[in-house]
Structures are given as C-alpha cells and as structure tokens.
Amino acid sequence: MKTPQQFTRFHNLDAVKEWTTKDSDEIYQISRWGEGYFTVGEKGDMCVSPTRAQGGPVINMMEVVEEMKNKNIPFPCVIRFHDILRSQVVNLNKTFRSVIEEARFNGSYFGVYPIKVNQMREVVEEIVDAGSPYNYGLEAGSKPELIAALAMNTNQNSLTVVNGYKDKDLLRLALLGNQLGRKVIVVVEKYSELTDLMALSLEIGVEPVIGLRAKIATKSSGKWASSGGDYAKFGLTITEILQAVKYLRSIDKLHCLKLFHFHIGSQIPDLRTIKDSISEGARIYAKLFKEGAKLEFFDVGGGVGVDYDGTRSNSPSSINYTTRDYVADVVYILKQVCDLEDVPHPNIVSESGRAITAHHSCVVTNVFGALEISATSNFNTDKAVNENILVSNMRELTNDIGPKNYQDVYNDATKLKEESVAAFKFGILSLDERAKLETLYWKLCTKIVEYASLDEYASDEILLLKNSMASQYMCNFSIFQSAPDTWAIGQILPVMPIHKLNERPTEICTLVDITCDSDGKLDTFLSPDGPTNTLPMHKLNGDDYYIGLFMTGAYQDIMGDNHNCFGRLNEVHIFADDDDPTDFYIEEVIYGNRSEQVLATLQYNPETMAQIMKASIDTQVKRGKIRPREGVDLTDFYESCLKSYTYLKK
Ligand SMILES: *Cc1c(COP(=O)(O)O)cnc(C)c1O
C-alpha cells in the first residue's frame, strides 16, 4: 500500500472570468503530457490527433463514446489508438536514423520492443508492422514471451533479444530461432546461463548469438533505482564478464559474443543518468573490443520515461528530456568514446517499451454519483429542551464564525467534537444529539474552508481539511485492474473529464472506484503547480459524465489484477481514417470478462452453480414460497448475471 502524500496546493478556479477550453488545457496540463496527441476541441471535447500530422485526422473522443453507445458496448472501456503506437515506433526509429546520419556515426540502429510492457497480440502486431521498414525487433524476458516473439517477429533482419533468467527450454527456444535463420540474441544475465547455452548449442549443432548484460555502476533515481548498481538483480559483474570472455576464447567461441547490454531501470527521470550510463557502458564496450571480443551491438536497454505529470522535470512521474535529447546523447557519447578508444562504432540497440506504448491507450468510464461530506445534510439541528451543553456550544460557534476568527472556531469545534465522542461513549449524549452536533460541525467546516480559501495566510491544517472535504466522485472502474501503478507505486496518471472542457469545473473532487477497498481511489493529480490531492470536475446534473484515465498503455494492462473479481475491460481499437466524416472507425471490439469467466479462473464451475441455484429455486416453488412463473424468471436472471459484464450497468 502506498503512503498517501498530502499537498496543500489547489487549482485556482475562480481566478478565471470567462472559462474557455484554454483554461481546461491549463488546469489539466493536456498540452504538456499530451505530446501533441491530445488536445481540447472547440466544442470542449477531448480530441486525439493520432498521427500528429498537420491537417491529419482529428478524432473527437465523445464521437467514439457515442458510437460505442450505439453499439451497446458498456463502460468502463479501454480505447486503443493504434495510430499512436505506429507514430511512436516511427518517431523513435526516424530520430535514431537522423541523429546517426547527422553525427556521421558508422553503426546502424536496431531497436527492439520489450513485449513485457504490453504483450497484447494486436499491440505487438501493430508495432512489428510499423517497425518493419526499420528492422525493428522484439525483446522477450520469459518463456511465454519468447514463444510469442518467435511467432510474431519473422523478419530475418530484425533482432529478437532474450533477457531474463533462463532455463534449458528457454535456451532451446532461442536456439530454435537461430536454426530458422533468425537473429535471436541470448543475453546472459547470470554466469551459469553461458555454460548451459554452449552445451546445448553443441548438442543441437547451431551456434548461438551471445549478449552479456553488465551490472554497471551508474544508478538511476526514481522508482526503479535498484535496477542498477552492484546489488542489481540482473547482469554480470566486470569480473564475471572478463571470465566469460576468457571462457569463450578457451572453447574457440569468442566470435559468438556479439552484444553488450545494460539496463538501469524504467522511467529514468534525469537525462544526466542516461549520459553517465552511456559513458560507462561505452568504455566497457571499447575495452572488451580491445580484449578481442568483436562486439557488433551496443544495447542501451530501456528506461526512456514519459511525462505523466506534464512537469518536464526530474520528478519520478516526469522526465527532463525529449526523445531527440535522449537519442543524441546515446549516439554522440558512444561515438566520442569509440573514437577516443579507437574502436569501431557498433550498431545501437535500444529496448524502449514505456515510451513506445504509454500514450496509445486510455480508459474511459462514467461517473455515477458523488459522496459529499454531510455539510449539505438537512438534518434538523434546532435547539431542543434540556439539550446537552456540547450541542449548544457547537451551535453557538456557528453564530460566532467570521473571516477573522475561523481558525479559533476550528480549534474549538474540533475539541467539542472529540469531547462529544467521549460523552457518547459514557452514555451522556444521545444518538440524536450526536447527529445534530456532527451536522453542525460539518456546516462549520464548510464555512471555515470558504474563509480559508480567501485568506492567503491560511494554515496548512485547514488547507488539508479542504482536501479531506472534497467530494468523492464515484467512477465505474477498478484502479487495481486499470491503473495499478497509481496504487502500487504512487505513479501519477493524467485523469480528467473528456467533455465539457469549455465549461468551468466548479467541484473539487477525489475519485473513488467500485472495489470494496478503501485504497481504491485516486487522490493525487497533476496541476500547473505540481501534484495536488484534488481534481476540478463539473457538477453532476444527472446527464452522462465521462472521464478518461490517460497514458495507461504501458504496464497497466498486464499488471492489473482481478480484485473483487472485476476482471478485464471491454476494449475498442480505433483506427484513423481521413475519408470518414468522423476521421475514425472502430476496427475491433474485444469484450471484457463476464462474471462466469472470472469465476472460472478461480475454480468455480458456472454450470454447476446455475444448477444448484435452479434446484434451490425449484424447492421454494414446490413449497409454494415462489410462484412457478417467478421461479423461471429468477433462474434466468441468475444465469444472465453469470453471462454479463462484471462492472456496474448503467
Ligand atoms: C523492462 C525492460 C525494458 C523496458 O523498459 P522501459 O522502461 O519500459 O523502456 C527493457 N529492457 C529490459 C531488460 C527490461 O527488463
């Protein structure tokens, strides 16, 4: 469980006279994290420019929502923009190509996509297809991932890089790729894998292509710092690397060693760390080359971050560099070190996953209600005869409060409330009196927060009270399924309404999901001034109100879990189409889990359950407790629930 962080920052919603879409862009920071893919349309709807081309297609997300409603696809729903995936793949490859040319670097770029970031077949297929002109390959870190990668990456000119701990089957699978003429490279993460690999290759009669992963000393900051340094989980120490070279030379297989690899963790916030890792890695590469290891590939791993919070800083949810800054550092630093050491420029491999996939998908869902602290309750608080003095005192405070004394009133009211709980436990305060006192207390707090909002010297204590009193908007989704990183590691993801962005949001809110878990909430958001605990939202008026949770394309799908048996979401796959009046079409709908599917993964047998329920209903019918016609309906109802979507129906 994450420890909640409390911030006393608030969006200043009243400072703006006439609310326009620009103001929404500012408070939700869309231009910052949206990277040109996401913008606010004139009508106040969230729009997507999946190719980012001037005059290219622009997809209105509310038109996607309308089409889904027409097709009866219930929310929550994952929306994938395949053209964003393609754009990201092309952008990375083109940037490497252009910087390599500009730097007169002699090697080429052979990127690979690490499928652990999002293994969905349609996602991998799209990436492989968009990357095929650039010989963009795949990276696998487990047996199932390699099984998938071998079937997906049939291009003889692109690489398949195998990382992670390996058993003999995994090594055999890699060698199978080599037997088929593919460029499969086994990256040795621990020394014994090397001897196992050489023994198997002798047995099968095919030469492996070997990579060595180094534990380099450079460490990243941020949430994945422990992937680097001496105590990292993966990789060989410098001593082991030298031993590996010696061993391969002794069996006359040093020519099989082709790749040098390091990976210092994901979401690297600071470009300086990347520079340091390239400098260190390049020196190791050069020295190994001079030792006689004729390495051809220099693999810089993944770790390129994305700007989730839009701050363009080295905060853990952000990055202080662009793709071009990153690529330029890799190419220029590597070139400089190679030239100084007088060794050839190797081909460059990178394994960016997050940066390729994060933007392409989002989760859209409906807000179905609001929980407000009882300030608005119309519980009768009139004075009663022989009323307890605590209640009377609380009522007096409501008469005394003003802009000058609201802090004192808060102190007194809080004390009275504490005393009232003690009095209640002693049996001195009745239930009715306790309800009156609490109603008066929350009315006071509402006033206190209003006065504090106008006071630039308001205490942190009262600003935090403002946070706690924010309305909770109830959203039809599970953060454990759809945004696990917000819960597990406190990652900030952009979340906002996807329409009404030309109207002033008047409510300050936190968001709660539908799991029976008090951790199932979102209460850290981005803002122009840094993280806040509340999100500005529009007042609910009974009409549909939709929010989007953005940048969920990396890691969230596969790490999401089935807490409360909610299961996987419905998905729609969107393709841009300039010729269509809406600029898009829904290419595929993949339905999420039905209750029976989630239950079946937990060893339940839906058919048996339906039979048991039918037998119980029949018994009640026989006893005359349920009429026969009603019994049939109830049996059908239970069965239809088994077969329907797990989330809340509208
Ligand atoms: C996870 C992983 C990656 C992908 O990292 P991103 O930060 O998503 O780019 C790349 N290489 C290896 C070895 C990994 O374990």
Side-chain angles (χ1 to χ4, degrees):
M1 192 187 104
K2 69 177 176 189
T3 33
Q5 252 194 303
Q6 294 226 296
F7 303 100
T8 54
R9 281 185 210 110
F10 291 92
H11 293 91
N12 193 355
L13 302 175
D14 298 325
V16 180
K17 277 220 173 66
E18 294 231 5
W19 195 271
T20 66
T21 53
K22 278 213 182 69
D23 301 304
S24 289
D25 186 84
E26 169 78 8
I27 55 164
Y28 301 120
Q29 295 279 289
I30 305 158
S31 312
R32 291 279 195 143
W33 58 260
E35 300 267 343
Y37 290 121
F38 296 92
T39 48
V40 185
E42 272 169 36
K43 286 188 287 179
D45 296 336
M46 188 75 159
C47 289
V48 183
S49 308
T51 61
R52 293 195 290 202
Q54 276 283 325
V58 180
I59 301 170
N60 180 331
M61 285 189 65
M62 285 311 284
E63 288 181 3
V64 177
V65 166
E66 275 313 309
E67 186 153 338
M68 288 173 53
K69 283 205 257 182
N70 292 338
K71 288 184 192 289
N72 288 320
I73 304 165
F75 293 91
C77 186
V78 172
I79 301 183
R80 289 191 199 286
F81 295 97
H82 281 244
D83 300 275
I84 294 185
L85 267 182
R86 301 187 74 90
S87 301
Q88 289 295 87
V89 170
V90 170
N91 180 40
L92 181 68
N93 279 286
K94 278 195 170 159
T95 308
F96 262 108
R97 285 198 174 185
S98 86
V99 173
I100 280 174
E101 196 181 298
E102 172 199 293
R104 295 171 196 275
F105 185 83
N106 299 327
S108 304
Y109 175 63
F110 286 90
V112 291
Y113 165 65
I115 71 172
K116 76 158 188 262
V117 183
N118 194 319
Q119 299 97 334
M120 182 172 226
R121 177 176 55 80
E122 285 88 341
V123 170
V124 177
E125 261 172 9
E126 204 66 59
I127 290 173
V128 167
D129 187 61
S132 66
Y134 309 97
N135 294 321
Y136 192 63
L138 295 177
E139 185 265 2
S142 68
K143 240 181 287 180
E145 287 185 357
L146 181 57
I147 291 168
L150 284 173
M152 303 298 286
N153 183 18
T154 53
N155 180 350
Q156 308 272 7
N157 298 317
S158 65
L159 306 182
T160 300
V161 176
V162 189
N163 291 314
Y165 291 135
K166 301 160 199 78
D167 65 2
K168 292 208 171 121
D169 278 355
L170 184 47
L171 294 172
R172 249 182 228 280
L173 277 170
L175 291 170
L176 165 63
N178 298 131
Q179 285 173 292
L180 303 179
R182 311 270 189 80
K183 292 196 165 69
V184 180
I185 305 181
V186 175
V187 176
V188 174
E189 306 266 12
K190 89 180 198 309
Y191 195 85
S192 62
E193 289 171 3
L194 184 60
T195 43
D196 285 349
L197 177 67
M198 297 323 287
L200 271 175
S201 93
L202 204 62
E203 182 191 315
I204 299 170
V206 59
E207 281 206 328
V209 187
I210 305 170
L212 295 180
R213 174 164 177 178
K215 276 185 181 150
I216 65 170
T218 308
K219 281 184 88 158
S220 174
S221 53
K223 299 181 192 290
W224 284 272
S226 65
S227 305
D230 290 343
Y231 302 107
K233 183 169 142 191
F234 292 112
L236 305 182
T237 61
I238 297 294
T239 318
E240 287 172 319
I241 288 175
L242 289 178
Q243 260 172 355
V245 170
K246 213 165 139 192
Y247 162 72
L248 286 170
R249 182 181 286 128
S250 74
I251 58 169
D252 206 14
K253 293 287 181 201
L254 192 53
H255 58 278
C256 295
L257 177 55
K258 296 245 166 82
L259 177 142
F260 174 73
H261 175 257
F262 56 91
H263 168 75
I264 59 167
S266 204
Q267 184 66 20
I268 302 171
D270 193 345
L271 188 59
R272 263 194 324 195
T273 322
I274 293 172
K275 288 181 201 278
D276 286 348
S277 71
I278 305 295
S279 303
E280 187 185 352
R283 289 286 174 184
I284 304 175
Y285 155 77
K287 306 288 183 203
L288 288 176
F289 198 94
K290 289 182 180 166
E291 282 286 312
K294 302 288 176 235
L295 294 155
E296 292 172 21
F297 297 98
F298 184 78
D299 182 347
V300 299
V304 179
V306 295
D307 195 3
Y308 290 110
D309 67 13
T311 57
R312 294 185 191 157
S313 69
N314 61 359
S315 89
S317 292
S318 186
I319 50 172
N320 64 4
Y321 52 91
T322 62
T323 306
R324 197 170 180 93
D325 296 337
Y326 165 76
V327 171
D329 273 351
V330 172
V331 174
Y332 279 97
I333 295 174
L334 181 57
K335 175 174 150 70
Q336 189 189 28
V337 174
C338 290
D339 291 349
L340 284 170
E341 294 271 358
D342 201 18
V343 294
H345 301 165
N347 294 315
I348 297 171
V349 179
S350 85
E351 307 177 341
S352 272
R354 187 185 298 274
I356 294 288
T357 57
H359 293 83
H360 91 280
S361 84
C362 57
V363 173
V364 170
T365 194
N366 55 304
V367 177
F368 64 94
L371 288 170
E372 279 163 40
I373 199 111
S374 54
T376 52
S377 146
N378 49 13
F379 192 81
N380 182 1
T381 55
D382 292 348
K383 191 171 174 65
V385 272
N386 295 332
E387 175 177 80
N388 187 293
I389 182 79
L390 293 172
V391 184
S392 311
N393 287 351
M394 190 70 93
R395 188 178 304 98
E396 256 161 49
L397 287 178
T398 61
N399 300 330
D400 294 347
I401 191 169
K404 294 241 153 57
N405 69 347
Y406 72 88
Q407 176 75 52
D408 293 339
V409 169
Y410 178 65
N411 301 343
D412 292 349
T414 308
K415 187 137 190 301
L416 274 177
K417 183 157 174 281
E418 279 166 18
E419 286 169 1
S420 76
V421 175
F424 180 74
K425 286 197 225 160
F426 282 120
I428 301 168
L429 199 71
S430 74
L431 256 190
D432 189 63
E433 285 172 325
R434 183 168 169 188
K436 267 188 191 172
L437 186 138
E438 287 184 6
T439 308
L440 290 166
Y441 174 78
W442 289 117
K443 285 209 166 119
L444 266 176
C445 287
T446 311
K447 274 262 153 58
I448 289 164
V449 165
E450 274 170 29
Y451 288 126
S453 301
L454 304 171
D455 178 359
E456 64 179 299
Y457 300 108
S459 67
D460 281 0
E461 176 188 35
I462 291 190
L463 293 175
L464 293 175
L465 172 70
K466 184 170 170 178
N467 273 333
S468 329
M469 289 188 63
S471 311
Q472 296 180 313
Y473 270 24
M474 296 179 281
C475 309
N476 187 15
F477 78 128
S478 153
I479 67 152
F480 303 95
Q481 172 66 241
S482 296
D485 278 354
T486 64
W487 165 69
I489 56 169
Q491 187 81 265
I492 294 179
L493 292 180
V495 51
M496 52 176 285
I498 59 167
H499 54 149
K500 298 193 173 204
L501 298 170
N502 51 356
E503 293 173 31
R504 185 192 306 270
T506 53
E507 307 300 295
I508 66 162
C509 303
T510 59
L511 306 181
V512 294
D513 73 2
I514 56 172
T515 62
C516 306
D517 191 319
S518 26
D519 268 1
K521 64 182 175 192
L522 291 175
D523 61 2
T524 312
F525 305 97
L526 54 89
S527 86
D529 312 309
T532 67
N533 293 120
T534 54
L535 182 70
M537 298 282 270
H538 301 91
K539 196 161 184 70
L540 300 179
N541 61 4
D543 293 344
D544 288 345
Y545 189 53
Y546 292 99
I547 58 161
L549 186 63
F550 291 90
M551 297 177 81
T552 56
Y555 299 102
Q556 304 312 287
D557 289 320
I558 199 68
M559 308 240 304
D561 65 45
N562 287 350
H563 196 359
N564 270 132
C565 291
F566 281 116
R568 286 186 67 84
L569 273 65
N570 289 331
E571 279 201 33
V572 294
H573 294 188
I574 306 290
F575 279 78
D577 177 9
D578 258 340
D579 296 333
D580 192 279
T582 61
D583 279 5
F584 77 92
Y585 65 102
I586 296 181
E587 184 255 1
E588 188 171 20
V589 181
I590 301 170
Y591 286 95
N593 287 147
R594 302 185 295 258
S595 298
E596 63 179 6
Q597 291 173 313
V598 186
L599 291 169
T601 64
L602 300 166
Q603 296 287 84
Y604 289 88
N605 182 332
E607 271 171 39
T608 314
M609 292 191 295
Q611 280 162 10
I612 293 171
M613 288 301 284
K614 184 171 185 314
S616 300
I617 291 167
D618 286 349
T619 311
Q620 292 299 79
V621 171
K622 281 197 195 105
R623 287 180 183 153
K625 306 259 185 207
I626 294 176
R627 276 177 291 117
R629 187 182 291 278
E630 199 188 345
V632 175
D633 288 348
L634 290 173
T635 309
D636 289 350
F637 171 67
Y638 182 82
E639 282 176 17
S640 76
C641 287
L642 269 176
K643 295 200 183 310
S644 56
Y645 199 25
T646 52
Y647 292 87
L648 298 190
K649 261 191 192 162
K650 286 234 291 176

